Amino acid sequence: MTDHQVTRERVLQALGTVMDPELHRDLVSLNMIHDLVVQDGTVAFTIMLTTPACPLKGRIEREARAAVSAIAGVKQVNVRMDSNVPVDRRISGKLSIPVRNTIAISSGKGGVGKSTVAVNLAVALAQTGACVGLLDADILGPNLPMMMGVDTLPPHRDDKIVPATVMGVELMSMGFLVPAGEPLVWRGPMLHSAIRQLLTDVAWGELDYLVIDLPPGTGDAQLSLAQSVPLTGCVIVTQPQNVALADARKGLAMFEKLGVPILGVVENMSGEFFGEGGGRALAEEAGVPFLGQVPLDPKVRIDGDQGTPTVVASPASPAAQAFSTIANLVAARISVQAAGP
Ligand SMILES: Nc1ncnc2c1ncn2[C@@H]1O[C@H](COP(=O)(O)OP(=O)(O)OP(=O)(O)O)[C@@H](O)[C@H]1O
Ligand SMILES: [Mg+2]
């Protein structure tokens, strides 16, 4: 008679054959298996991912379940999926706020859809269960309160500004502090310190990801901003056509020069009007990931104007699906980066 006693060692051995497809290591050596309980042929464990937005969550769960089910004597497998987003060690000492990762959304050119990408990315990450903040670093033209459908902040707490919480995202913007329609004529150093204050004098919660919407351009303001805020990485937004690409290329080069990792390129407003494919070509040329195309769709603009990002207003639309996929890919890139070379 063969002994079908299931042991922890046997289970860990089986799980040691299941690879994380992005980190290219197995679940056991990545320390992803928690709370393992083996009792009379029933095996229970938690798979601790490095982001709740993991695009391959379903596949990892299936493969782990299959590997354990194949062990002789196993009658039942209970898998729980959980996540714990790692702290970006490169930035953690430089920030006085409890933020694990910072993601700048940038473009060389204005009006390409940075703010639209920033709000949809932030909300899509929050929809996966991540703790997300959104900082409007466009001090002179703050659009995010309008795009997120909120115009006031909650009361201060212990002398600190408390961000607005909307659609699961903590939001801070100069737009909350300056009356609408009043022009701000600040320059260099004042802008610089305003951004630092929006970042550090605000009572942010414990954030997995802080998405930062940068002002357009590659001038001094952008440069000093990119230098003053420690960044986990940046996402370059471009339109598909050549003129936009030339500016995006400049933006990309600026971040590379500063040593900020490029998480990838997003092509926005793809379709018949502006064409398509330029974003992918730019990413390939620069040797950085291409994160996806968001179609030109009037509904995206209407949703933004009405203060409900497309991922909430029309979650089944191709644009919303593209934003969600991009959010997952950005989170995955950050996980890969955190795991080291
Ligand atoms: N995929 C899209 N389809 C249709 N309209 C879009 C799309 N993306 C953005 N828009 C619209 O294009 C306009 C510019 O977008 P947005 O404000 O996000 O750009 P931006 O790069 O942040 O601009 P700025 O440089 O002024 O900060 C907005 O009216 C927005 O609603
Ligand atoms: Mg903008």
Side-chain angles (χ1 to χ4, degrees):
M1 198 181 95
T2 43
D3 182 8
H4 284 339
Q5 180 80 22
V6 184
T7 61
R8 291 176 65 84
E9 289 65 37
R10 186 68 197 84
V11 171
L12 288 173
Q13 193 189 357
L15 289 171
T17 65
V18 179
M19 303 296 280
D20 180 304
E22 276 159 337
L23 302 180
H24 305 296
R25 277 169 63 197
D26 71 90
L27 303 188
V28 176
S29 66
L30 284 167
N31 237 335
M32 285 185 177
I33 306 301
H34 292 232
D35 312 323
L36 174 61
V37 177
V38 181
Q39 204 171 31
D40 306 331
T42 297
V43 180
F45 55 90
T46 299
I47 301 180
M48 193 66 81
L49 300 170
T50 52
T51 175
C54 177
L56 300 160
K57 202 176 190 167
R59 173 167 157 197
I60 293 172
E61 180 179 353
R62 267 195 316 280
E63 291 183 2
R65 185 183 293 281
V68 176
S69 302
I71 301 171
V74 168
K75 297 190 202 81
Q76 198 184 328
V77 184
N78 301 330
V79 187
R80 209 172 71 86
M81 302 301 283
D82 201 348
S83 63
N84 186 14
V85 176
V87 176
D88 180 357
R89 288 182 305 269
R90 288 171 34 263
I91 69 162
S92 58
K94 301 184 194 142
L95 275 172
S96 54
I97 51 170
V99 172
R100 296 180 174 199
N101 295 279
T102 54
I103 308 165
I105 310 298
S106 172
S107 72
K109 188 174 179 298
V112 300
K114 274 179 311 301
S115 300
T116 304
V117 169
V119 295
N120 280 286
L121 181 75
V123 175
L125 284 171
Q127 286 173 335
T128 71
C131 297
V132 182
L134 179 56
L135 172 63
D136 190 348
D138 197 344
I139 302 288
L140 301 178
N143 294 135
L144 298 197
M146 189 197 82
M147 295 174 103
M148 293 288 279
V150 55
D151 53 17
T152 50
L153 290 175
H156 286 214
R157 192 170 58 222
D158 304 333
D159 277 350
K160 279 208 162 187
I161 300 171
V162 178
T165 297
V166 53
M167 288 168 275
V169 171
E170 294 184 14
L171 171 66
M172 188 57 211
S173 169
M174 202 64 190
F176 292 129
L177 308 176
V178 176
E182 199 159 292
L184 263 183
V185 286
W186 297 353
R187 303 216 182 279
M190 273 179 95
L191 280 180
H192 196 122
S193 72
I195 289 163
R196 278 303 290 195
Q197 280 177 29
L198 290 186
L199 193 67
T200 55
D201 293 357
V202 169
W204 299 102
E206 299 254 344
L207 301 177
D208 294 323
Y209 305 105
L210 176 64
V211 177
I212 306 175
D213 181 24
L214 294 186
T218 48
D220 286 348
Q222 286 74 21
L223 198 71
S224 83
L225 201 152
Q227 284 169 314
S228 67
V229 181
L231 297 172
T232 300
C234 83
V235 171
I236 305 285
V237 182
T238 183
Q239 286 180 359
Q241 74 277 27
N242 279 331
V243 274
L245 287 168
D247 290 317
R249 195 173 283 123
K250 260 189 244 162
L252 208 150
M254 178 183 92
F255 284 103
E256 280 185 331
K257 219 172 186 171
L258 293 174
V260 176
I262 312 290
L263 298 168
V265 173
V266 170
E267 179 179 293
N268 187 34
M269 307 196 200
S270 314
E272 272 175 43
F273 194 74
F274 291 119
E276 62 178 316
R280 183 185 290 279
L282 173 66
E284 277 171 10
E285 162 198 309
V288 301
F290 179 61
L291 300 169
Q293 291 180 327
V294 181
L296 179 72
D297 175 358
K299 188 75 172 61
V300 171
R301 179 180 50 76
I302 294 164
D303 292 340
D305 284 349
Q306 293 181 342
T308 313
T310 299
V311 290
V312 171
S314 341
S317 66
Q321 301 278 313
F323 284 127
S324 295
T325 304
I326 290 163
N328 289 355
L329 288 174
V330 167
R333 289 303 309 162
I334 290 175
S335 292
V336 170
Q337 194 170 297

